[in-house]
């Protein structure tokens, strides 16, 4: 990830990787630490670093990032459900994961039609990226905003 003007204000922003809560707990295993997920905080630079101007959940494994304009830092964490090939956002309360908020998962096109719980975020010739907002997730996300803030990583 390179420095770039992410908010189109004419200033270059610098990305900072910020670990999501839960991966630095003393009881976390090395495998847990190796699987740490991060937010990308974009900070503007005009001679000195200033406030964060954008925050993304950056997922190179599935080829997307999700802009998180209104979610307070430390309010959630993300876990991978490997068997389902999905990333699930969970509330973070009292130093532990709580209720699920949002799941994002790539599907092949044929399989997606059989998963009514997921809405279509983006589709290409072979893959549909789907999202499911859970009941507690509506405190932070709605499907239309997730769809608007979902972007494929273009290099």
């Amino acid at each position: 990830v390179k420095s770039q003007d992410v908010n189109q204000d004419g200033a270059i922003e610098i990305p900072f990787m910020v670990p999501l809560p839960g991966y630095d707990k003393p009881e976390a295993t090395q495998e847990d630490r190796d699987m740490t997920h991060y937010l990308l905080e974009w900070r503007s630079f005009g001679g000195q670093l200033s406030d964060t101007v954008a925050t993304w959940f950056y997922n190179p494994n599935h080829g997307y990032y999700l802009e998180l304009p209104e979610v307070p830092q430390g309010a959630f964490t993300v876990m991978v459900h490997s068997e389902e090939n999905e990333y699930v956002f969970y509330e973070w309360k009292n130093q532990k994961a709580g209720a699920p908020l949002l799941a994002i998962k790539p599907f092949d096109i044929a399989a997606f039609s059989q998963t009514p719980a997921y809405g279509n975020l983006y589709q290409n010739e072979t893959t549909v990226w789907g999202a499911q907002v859970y009941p507690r997730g509506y405190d932070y996300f709605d499907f239309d905003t997730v769809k608007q803030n979902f972007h494929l990583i273009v290099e």
Side-chain angles (χ1 to χ4, degrees), residues 73-151:
Q73 187 171 347
F76 71 92
T77 194
V78 176
M79 295 180 192
V80 179
H81 294 191
S82 299
E83 65 283 351
E84 299 294 325
N85 194 30
E86 71 181 349
Y87 284 71
V88 180
F89 293 65
Y90 287 91
E91 274 184 310
W92 186 254
K93 285 188 169 181
N94 302 319
Q95 300 299 307
K96 63 182 181 178
L101 305 172
L102 171 70
I104 299 178
K105 175 179 178 171
F107 297 87
D108 75 27
I109 290 177
F112 182 73
S113 64
Q114 301 169 13
T115 56
Y118 287 78
N120 183 333
L121 293 174
Y122 183 85
Q123 174 176 335
N124 65 20
E125 299 79 30
T126 59
T127 305
V128 176
W129 284 264
Q132 177 180 12
V133 180
Y134 292 95
R136 286 284 298 138
Y138 287 103
D139 291 347
Y140 304 98
F141 305 101
D142 66 78
F143 182 80
D144 291 336
T145 302
V146 171
K147 184 171 183 162
Q148 178 182 341
N149 291 337
F150 178 88
H151 306 279

Side-chain angles (χ1 to χ4, degrees), residues 35-55:
M35 293 295 296
T36 300
H37 300 292
Y38 296 87
L39 294 180
L40 247 164
E41 284 189 354
W42 293 93
R43 299 179 189 164
S44 70
F45 183 76
Q48 63 182 12
L49 286 176
S50 68
D51 294 333
T52 299
V53 298
T55 302

